[in-house]
Amino acid sequence: MNNTLTITDNRTEKEYVIPIENDTVRAVDLRRIKVNDDDFGLMSYDPAYDNTAACKSKITFVDGNKGILRHRGYPIEQLAEKSSFLEVAYLLIYGELPGKEEHDYWNTRVMRHTFVHQAFTRIIEAFHYDAHPMGILISCIAAMSTFHADAKSIDDPAEREKQIFRILGKLPTLAAFAYRHAIGRPYNYPDSSRGYTENFLYMLDDMNERGYTVHPVSARALDILFILMSDHEQNCSASTMRAVGSSRVDPYSALAAATCALYGPLHGGANEAVVRMLEKIGSVSNVPAYIEQVKQGKMRLMGFGHRIYRHYDPRATIIKKTAYEVFEALGTNSLLDIALELERIALQDDYFLERNLYPNVDFYSGIILQSLGFPTAMFPVLFAIPRAAGWLAQWLEHIEDKEQRIARPRQIYLGEGARDYVPVPERADYRKWLESYAPSAG
Ligand code: ACO
């Protein structure tokens, strides 16, 4: 096969042959296409990066049309059923599942780093009682860069690894402290003898009970959610991690930026938005009227639709199954019936079918988290903790990629041409304002 693309520029009638590699042309090859020598050359315009690959990656594979998600080649269904979050984090970061010794070493290192500097308790104390925990988490992650100055040595693999242990270990502790601050209870310090999600639930819940145990169904459900949320290739927050990391800043600063990106309601804030939407709908009988409003474009059906899945999000299928396991063990959730009815109606309505809008990972995750006892404001925080594993894997791959430089997109400038500066009193608008203002002022 001739792996090239022939382009004829009808402005000049010149022909260009451009190589195709991995079913992709290099945007920079288009720059050869010029009208004359002064011409900058052709660019491609791609708002929201709909059809632009910004990197080569070996971490996560998604086929949105077929509903496939694999990490390092392993199907998400197998990982969710058989693996643990910490093992998947290792897989994302190192590229292979750990052997027995590596597994134990990795778990021990991460759990040993669950303690945070005592100053973080004072930082968190400074926040108002109703501060959003995601705002607190973002601030604490950014602050972490000031506590670990060695993190600036991003070209040293040993230093990088140390920051990875710290980040994965400390995020649940900071998240738990943010939560305890909001409910006015003293902080629980980590118990590294427990599993990753078990320790997190313990820090959130324990009221100094003797022999406090975490319900195994809760710990496993949260672990599965963490596996499902751990990475999703070049989404808004992962791209942010790569873009900010490309400036060679320390990983804490890049991770704080990625966490900000995740905070938005169209991204990691969606599961919070789903629960708020279900609460607003209030009852199954109100569902048809709500769907009508969505179809009229008055609002979006939160938890539906995805930029790359044009079919059922495979994570949503696993989450729906996990939801039933949680409800069986801990009692059902009143919002479930509304969600099921929304899904039933939407999946047979032409509006949603024509636009390929199916439930995404967030449609059921919020209901599970609510059943586990998490307040709605904690939902994006619970997304950020596992996604940190994916961000770190994406960051490592990016900073080691010799083809990458500092991220710097181009623009199509459509503003004014060159013009001369006019002093303030001589500007037309200024005089108009002065005239209309003067009479009443007098
Ligand atoms: N409800 C109703 N209509 C929708 C929805 C929705 N949830 N999502 C998309 N549409 C409609 C759009 O209005 C548009 O219709 P039109 O062609 O008549 O104008 C069409 O479907 C295409 O929508 P886009 O906005 O082009 O889709 P895009 O790929 O840009 O958006 C997104 C993806 C942001 C996820 C969108 O589907 C959405 O807002 N969903 C709700 C929020 C949500 O659940 N986000 C979580 C995503 S998963 C995650 O981040 C982990």
Side-chain angles (χ1 to χ4, degrees):
M1 197 193 300
N2 180 357
N3 268 331
T4 57
L5 176 73
T6 304
I7 301 174
T8 307
D9 185 348
N10 294 323
R11 298 170 302 176
T12 57
E13 290 177 357
K14 274 197 200 156
E15 204 169 81
Y16 300 83
V17 178
I18 289 182
I20 297 176
E21 194 192 336
N22 303 314
D23 294 330
T24 311
V25 293
R26 280 182 181 260
V28 81
D29 281 340
L30 300 177
R31 291 263 288 277
R32 285 168 37 213
I33 304 175
K34 298 179 177 205
V35 185
N36 55 48
D37 286 346
D38 294 338
D39 188 357
F40 178 78
L42 208 64
M43 290 195 300
S44 60
Y45 175 56
D46 191 10
Y49 308 114
D50 255 332
N51 197 37
T52 293
C55 64
K56 292 176 180 165
S57 183
K58 294 183 173 173
I59 303 170
T60 294
F61 172 78
V62 181
D63 183 332
N65 291 327
K66 295 191 184 134
I68 295 173
L69 169 60
R70 292 185 209 127
H71 294 313
R72 304 284 190 183
Y74 294 100
I76 191 65
E77 292 79 4
Q78 289 184 25
L79 294 174
E81 193 191 330
K82 298 179 180 160
S83 186
S84 67
F85 166 67
L86 270 192
E87 189 181 50
V88 172
Y90 183 101
L91 174 70
L92 290 169
I93 289 166
Y94 296 101
E96 293 294 340
L97 287 168
K100 165 87 181 82
E101 256 177 48
E102 291 152 339
H103 182 272
D104 294 347
Y105 178 75
W106 168 250
N107 282 356
T108 310
R109 294 314 298 160
V110 172
M111 292 311 292
R112 284 247 175 98
H113 281 88
T114 46
F115 268 78
V116 295
H117 194 288
Q118 193 61 17
F120 280 97
T121 61
R122 298 193 295 276
I123 293 174
I124 294 173
E125 289 302 318
F127 283 90
H128 212 277
Y129 74 95
D130 60 354
H132 197 290
M134 194 67 163
I136 299 180
L137 185 71
I138 290 165
S139 309
C140 288
I141 296 171
M144 275 166 81
S145 74
T146 68
F147 287 79
H148 307 294
D150 47 355
K152 292 197 187 321
S153 311
I154 63 162
D155 292 316
D156 179 343
E159 286 298 340
R160 290 199 303 238
E161 194 173 52
K162 207 191 314 170
Q163 313 319 321
I164 290 171
F165 294 141
R166 284 177 174 151
I167 289 170
L168 295 179
K170 291 176 199 317
L171 285 195
T173 311
L174 293 171
F177 283 13
Y179 168 72
R180 300 284 291 199
H181 173 69
I183 58 171
R185 289 189 184 155
Y187 308 132
N188 287 323
Y189 287 90
D191 175 356
S192 61
S193 69
R194 297 175 190 259
Y196 192 77
T197 44
E198 186 195 350
N199 168 56
F200 180 43
L201 289 170
Y202 155 76
M203 287 190 289
L204 292 161
D205 271 350
D206 183 37
M207 289 291 286
N208 212 11
E209 294 107 317
R210 201 174 278 270
Y212 176 87
T213 52
V214 173
H215 199 301
V217 171
S218 303
R220 181 62 190 147
L222 193 60
D223 210 59
I224 292 174
L225 281 182
F226 278 11
I227 292 171
L228 300 181
M229 291 170 172
S230 58
D231 191 55
H232 209 240
E233 52 119 306
Q234 308 314 314
N235 51 76
C236 176
S237 55
S239 308
T240 303
M241 183 83 191
R242 282 179 177 261
V244 177
S246 78
S247 73
R248 314 300 283 184
V249 75
D250 67 87
Y252 299 102
S253 302
L255 204 100
T259 315
C260 289
L262 188 73
Y263 195 6
L266 297 188
H267 192 5
N271 52 9
E272 180 176 351
V274 169
V275 168
R276 293 199 197 285
M277 173 187 77
L278 296 175
E279 284 170 347
K280 197 169 130 205
I281 294 172
S283 79
V284 169
S285 59
N286 294 335
V287 168
Y290 192 84
I291 294 264
E292 236 4 85
Q293 288 184 307
V294 170
K295 285 161 65 175
Q296 286 165 18
K298 292 188 182 153
M299 64 262 290
R300 288 202 160 189
L301 186 52
M302 300 313 287
F304 260 68
H306 198 279
R307 172 58 59 81
I308 54 175
Y309 288 119
R310 298 304 175 191
H311 204 273
Y312 216 97
D313 180 338
R315 299 168 301 173
T317 316
I318 300 166
I319 278 199
K320 198 170 169 184
K321 186 168 160 273
T322 310
Y324 281 109
E325 284 160 14
V326 169
F327 300 147
E328 206 173 293
L330 308 178
T332 191
N333 184 311
S334 60
L335 300 181
L336 177 68
D337 292 339
I338 303 173
L340 287 171
E341 183 65 358
L342 269 178
E343 184 186 345
R344 190 188 67 79
I345 298 187
L347 290 185
Q348 56 191 30
D349 191 299
D350 283 347
Y351 175 94
F352 297 93
L353 294 175
E354 279 162 12
R355 290 168 178 78
N356 297 313
L357 298 172
Y358 293 91
N360 60 46
V361 67
D362 287 320
F363 193 64
Y364 286 103
S365 68
I367 310 179
I368 301 186
L369 294 175
Q370 204 186 48
S371 296
L372 293 177
F374 288 105
T376 317
M378 278 295 282
F379 293 2
V381 169
L382 295 160
F383 195 161
I385 295 171
R387 186 51 65 88
W391 291 331
L392 289 167
Q394 300 283 347
W395 169 73
L396 281 175
E397 193 176 65
H398 198 88
I399 60 170
E400 292 209 311
D401 184 343
K402 298 280 174 273
E403 279 193 308
Q404 294 291 349
R405 292 181 293 155
I406 187 165
R408 177 53 171 97
R410 296 275 172 186
Q411 64 167 5
I412 302 173
Y413 177 72
L414 297 176
E416 300 287 348
R419 48 183 174 165
D420 289 325
Y421 179 84
V422 181
V424 173
E426 291 168 30
R427 284 178 211 159
D429 281 350
Y430 179 76
R431 276 204 304 274
K432 216 187 287 166
W433 173 82
L434 208 61
E435 278 158 20
S436 64
Y437 178 75
S440 58

